[in-house]
Amino acid sequence: MKPIENSLVRPPALRADSIPPHAFFLVSAVFHYLGPAFAVLLFQYADALGVAWLRITVAAVAFALWRRPWRVLRAASAPQRRLLVAMGAILALMNSVFYLAIARLPLGTVGAIEFLAPIGLAVLGLRDARNFVAMLAAVAGVALLTDVRIGGEPLAYAFAFANCVLFAGYIVIGHALARDGGAAGIDRLGAAMLVAMLVAAPIGFREALPAFHDLRLLAAAIGVGICSSVIPYVCDQLAMARLPRSTFALMLALLPAMACLIGALVLQQIPGTLEIAGIALVIGGVLLHRTASAT
């Protein structure tokens, strides 16, 4: 898959090269779980598909105001537009099935299933025994942090596994968008988010209508969009631009650990011994992983 040319857009330079890419990932991980905290309020008044569309739309509007991503769509060649449309469709469907899954299953269960995608990509990027041990440590840590109970909700699990597959696509295409620089990747992400808004509209717009009658719900929708689809996705692009795909995929194992830490700090959900052990294994796996020179 060929990267989109730098000549598409000439964004202002980002002063991000001096910041370690792992820092961007950690910011993404934190905001990845603040978004669902806002979504809890919306689930009481709007259908899951409506919440997904609101999240995508808020993000699309934010990117439009910030980056003017329609320039990317206008300047792109036919193959480049196909890449952007593919990413937009993935974002729309991934967010939709994710919310359909967490409306029926515990977030930890959906997160554990979702983790199968990045760990599969990490396996593909393995280079030596050290990385294999790192992967095993991360998997063991996630197993301790998540309580997966299969049964009773076949449709919900179908949504969760569909989200897993789409998440793998997000990682692969996200790296293609970020291949020649984080700033250009952000512009392309904004263009893909505009596509995602249009793709998700037929299945989510009607369900989102109740939120337009309550300013509190709209405020929550803005929080969901910014925390779930702007800050983390931008940070992902800045990290993907400088991290090999296998390294980024393995670092996603930090997400369950981050959820546990946020629960302790924000919700006073103090982790037990097994959870602390899981956090240690996940972080140990990430630290042990040897970065490949290319993917």
Side-chain angles (χ1 to χ4, degrees), residues 36-289:
F38 285 109
V40 170
L41 173 63
L42 291 180
F43 272 138
Q44 300 176 32
Y45 302 97
D47 183 84
L49 290 175
V51 175
W53 184 79
L54 286 169
R55 165 182 171 170
I56 294 166
T57 300
V58 168
V61 171
F63 279 116
L65 295 174
W66 176 32
R67 307 297 294 186
R68 292 182 291 172
W70 53 84
R71 298 175 302 165
V72 175
L73 290 170
R74 185 170 60 244
S77 64
Q80 293 161 358
R81 286 197 185 101
R82 285 195 290 269
L83 182 65
L84 294 171
V85 169
M87 185 58 155
I90 285 175
L91 288 171
L93 297 175
M94 181 179 71
N95 284 299
S96 297
V97 296
F98 173 75
Y99 279 120
L100 286 171
I102 65 172
R104 296 164 171 81
L105 294 173
L107 182 60
T109 299
V110 178
I113 294 172
E114 185 177 63
F115 179 72
L116 296 175
I119 205 63
L121 293 175
V123 169
L124 294 177
L126 291 178
R127 294 292 185 272
D128 54 28
R130 171 174 165 172
N131 284 353
F132 184 74
V133 173
M135 182 199 69
L136 290 180
V139 171
V142 170
L144 288 177
L145 284 168
T146 54
D147 182 16
V148 182
R149 300 181 179 89
I150 303 294
E153 287 279 0
L155 182 59
Y157 283 102
F159 290 138
F161 279 103
N163 175 65
C164 171
V165 173
L166 291 164
F167 191 48
Y170 164 75
I171 296 171
V172 173
I173 298 182
H175 268 84
L177 296 180
R179 192 170 295 165
D180 58 350
I186 292 171
D187 287 332
R188 294 163 194 155
L189 174 64
M193 197 64 71
L194 289 176
V195 175
M197 179 180 65
L198 296 176
V199 172
I203 59 175
F205 175 74
R206 177 178 294 183
E207 286 75 9
L209 288 177
F212 291 98
H213 301 291
D214 191 322
L215 290 179
R216 295 176 304 169
L217 297 182
L218 283 178
I222 292 172
V224 169
I226 298 299
C227 291
S228 299
S229 294
V230 177
I231 295 175
Y233 288 170
V234 167
C235 289
D236 283 351
Q237 281 296 307
L238 294 173
M240 286 175 175
R242 294 160 60 195
L243 288 174
R245 193 177 70 194
S246 59
T247 301
F248 183 86
L250 183 65
M251 287 190 68
L252 288 169
L254 282 174
L255 292 180
M258 188 62 68
C260 189
L261 291 176
I262 290 176
L265 294 174
V266 178
L267 304 175
Q268 302 301 310
Q269 298 173 345
I270 307 302
T273 303
L274 288 179
E275 291 168 312
I276 294 174
I279 292 173
L281 281 171
V282 169
I283 294 175
V286 172
L287 293 176
L288 183 63
H289 175 259

